[in-house]
Amino acid sequence: MTAAEVMKAVRLVAEAAAGAPGEEVPRRVCVAVCEGLGVDGATLSVLTDTPSRQLLAASDDAALLLEEIQFTVLEGPCISAAQTGEPVAVDDLRHERTPWPLFGAMAREKLPGVGSVYALPLFFGDYVLGSVDLLATRSRAIGEDALEQTSRVADAVTAALMPTREMLLTGNDAPAWEPEQMIRAHWFDTWRAVGALAARRRMSPEDALALMRAEAFRTGRSLPDITTDILRDPPGTS
């Protein structure tokens, strides 16, 4: 990847967000990042250091699954990027051991077609607003020098998201991000289930989410599956 390609990605992100309705910005930005950086998938999320986290957009099912895995096992490149404020690279997911054993094992099992993963922190001043995750079918899709330059792309993504930030952080309704049905099923409903389980078991939301994660990991099912079971179960039946 060259400096010219990085600047192309910056330009495409700005163009994708210019004049777009707020709810369409995350999806358009994901597409622009993929095209500009030559990767095969992307996600955007805010407040990425779990559990205070909200997925904004996923370019496809593989990108969505990458987020679900990290959300379930509470580790991975996205979380590390948010915690450290530094870009994180997994250059060869298929063959290299990752610093996150649970994430690495589950990602290799569930995403055999993914060769490399990258996470870029999104800054608002000194505060990490969220992250953009990138995935590619090939290994070493972004070189070390190029990864350092992608901070310019992350800055462009932050600038694109800022006008829509309050849409997400205020109110109790599911955000109108696209694809709305996918994000509602895989993210917003999870938080509804956390609240329901916490009330049912008289525990904190943090403990309820930990219990759901443990069940997902124990059974090999996804958090959306666990969520569906909880929301279908009437109060007082478990």
Side-chain angles (χ1 to χ4, degrees), residues 11-12 14 16 23 35-36 43 73 81 85 108 122 130 133 136 141 151 164 184 213 219:
R11 174 177 56 80
L12 289 175
E23 64 271 14
E35 181 180 350
T43 66
V73 301
R108 281 189 289 271
L122 304 176
D133 274 12
S151 61
T164 67
R184 174 182 287 275
R213 283 193 172 110
T219 61

Side-chain angles (χ1 to χ4, degrees), residues 43-164:
T43 66
L44 289 176
S45 56
V46 298
L47 298 172
T48 313
D49 189 5
T50 54
S52 299
R53 186 173 174 196
Q54 173 63 56
L55 179 68
L56 300 186
S59 61
D60 55 25
D61 289 343
L64 177 65
L65 183 53
L66 175 68
E67 291 298 307
E68 285 185 356
I69 291 170
Q70 295 180 89
F71 189 60
T72 299
V73 301
L74 198 57
E75 64 178 26
C78 176
I79 295 171
S80 291
Q83 290 174 336
T84 65
E86 298 290 338
V88 176
V90 181
D91 288 315
D92 190 347
L93 180 62
R94 298 186 183 99
H95 302 109
E96 293 181 2
R97 180 176 296 179
T98 74
W100 320 279
L102 297 179
F103 167 80
M106 190 173 289
R108 281 189 289 271
E109 176 188 351
K110 296 183 176 294
L111 292 168
V114 174
S116 54
V117 176
Y118 304 89
L120 312 177
L122 304 176
F123 281 93
F124 178 56
D126 294 332
Y127 172 70
V128 178
L129 172 69
S131 77
V132 53
D133 274 12
L134 312 170
L135 60 87
T137 57
R138 65 194 185 281
S139 300
R140 295 175 176 81
I142 300 178
E144 184 176 349
D145 292 342
L147 187 63
E148 294 180 2
Q149 297 181 45
T150 56
S151 61
R152 299 179 182 179
V153 179
D155 289 344
V157 171
T158 299
L161 292 178
M162 289 315 298
T164 67

Side-chain angles (χ1 to χ4, degrees), residues 1-10 145-146 149 152-153:
M1 180 185 299
T2 66
E5 289 172 315
V6 170
M7 294 312 297
K8 174 186 176 183
V10 169
D145 292 342
Q149 297 181 45
R152 299 179 182 179
V153 179

Side-chain angles (χ1 to χ4, degrees), residues 188-216 223 225-238:
F188 184 73
D189 285 351
T190 296
W191 292 111
R192 290 178 53 219
V194 166
L197 184 61
R200 194 175 304 164
R201 299 288 184 88
R202 297 182 179 179
M203 59 175 59
S204 69
E206 292 79 10
D207 287 343
L209 180 57
L211 188 63
M212 291 169 60
R213 283 193 172 110
E215 180 67 9
L223 269 177
D225 290 338
I226 304 299
T227 291
T228 298
D229 288 348
I230 292 172
L231 295 180
R232 284 177 177 171
D233 189 16
T237 62
S238 62

